[in-house]
Amino acid sequence: MWTEREGTRQRYHEWIESLSQFDLPDWDALPQLDLYMDQVIILLTRYLSLMNRGADEKSITASIINNYVRLRVMPPPVKKKYSRCHIAYLVIICTLKGSLSISSIQRLLPEEHTEEAVREMYNAFVRQYRSVIAFIRRIPFSGGQLQPDAAGLPLEVEGTIAITSALFSAMTKSLTEFLLQPDDREE
């Protein structure tokens, strides 16, 4: 039988509490002035601090951003400066890259790089992000164990927070990749 690591319950509650102190910025809160690469990295590190906790490697670097541009996941900077649209792209990419491939993320992003299209996509992304966070905060854990009746999950064996969250991650990643596959069916 799997048991919780010492301190898992406390760490879970700390993480849940940190969710209330962390939020992605609204479109209007993104910088209106264009930024240089080093400013973009500082800003993204602050915006995405919750997701980068415990990461051994930097989640965003100049070479990573340059690769996104080279792969055409996002538009290139204008005169080495990054606009609000670039920041929106990077927030979305960096939020999702831990669970999806870059090609899957690219299929989620708008093909049209106009400010209107990016703003619409970014606002929808932030709204959905907040809904997911609200859902996660409602998952009924008590004493470090998922409460099966409240979550509607029939657990035959005691489940742990880490195992349950890993399974949610794996299943939602699988669903997302399935949904983003090109539709090759004959009509």
Side-chain angles (χ1 to χ4, degrees):
M1 178 168 90
W2 284 23
T3 59
E4 295 288 347
R5 281 183 23 208
E6 190 173 321
T8 300
R9 179 179 176 198
Q10 178 184 343
R11 292 179 64 196
Y12 166 76
H13 289 293
E14 287 172 13
W15 187 78
I16 288 294
E17 179 58 32
S18 71
L19 288 178
S20 64
Q21 299 168 12
F22 176 81
D23 193 16
L24 293 179
D26 290 315
W27 175 262
D28 292 331
L30 295 176
Q32 294 181 25
L33 299 173
D34 293 347
L35 304 174
Y36 287 107
M37 178 71 79
D38 57 337
Q39 295 169 310
V40 169
I41 292 170
I42 291 168
L43 188 66
L44 288 172
T45 301
R46 188 170 38 127
Y47 285 168
L48 304 171
S49 62
L50 179 70
M51 288 168 276
N52 297 332
R53 189 179 299 164
D56 290 338
E57 58 187 58
K58 290 188 176 188
S59 62
I60 190 74
T61 64
S63 62
I64 289 172
I65 293 172
N66 288 332
N67 281 337
Y68 298 151
V69 171
R70 185 179 51 77
L71 294 170
R72 297 192 172 138
V73 178
M74 61 180 274
V78 177
K79 297 181 181 178
K80 297 187 178 188
K81 287 190 170 186
Y82 295 83
S83 69
R84 179 187 288 193
C85 289
H86 292 103
I87 303 299
Y89 270 97
L90 288 166
V91 167
I92 293 169
I93 293 165
C94 292
T95 300
L96 298 176
K97 74 179 183 177
S99 60
L100 292 176
S101 68
I102 293 301
S103 61
S104 291
I105 294 169
Q106 192 169 22
R107 287 191 292 271
L108 288 171
L109 298 172
E111 292 180 25
E112 194 178 320
H113 298 296
T114 65
E115 184 170 331
E116 179 63 29
V118 175
R119 183 181 65 222
E120 185 178 316
M121 178 247 339
Y122 182 78
N123 285 334
F125 180 82
V126 170
R127 279 191 309 274
Q128 197 61 32
Y129 171 86
R130 290 174 181 159
S131 295
V132 168
I133 294 299
F135 171 78
I136 289 171
R137 290 185 61 119
R138 288 191 309 268
I139 294 175
F141 286 101
S142 176
Q145 301 297 322
L146 179 68
Q147 302 302 300
D149 294 337
L153 298 173
L155 296 179
E156 310 248 335
V157 186
E158 289 183 23
T160 65
I161 295 171
I163 299 296
T164 304
S165 63
L167 288 169
F168 275 125
S169 176
M171 293 300 103
T172 55
K173 178 181 179 184
S174 175
L175 172 61
T176 303
E177 289 175 346
F178 176 78
L179 293 172
L180 292 175
Q181 287 177 354
D183 192 4
D184 294 335
R185 295 177 287 182
E186 299 279 329
E187 301 224 8

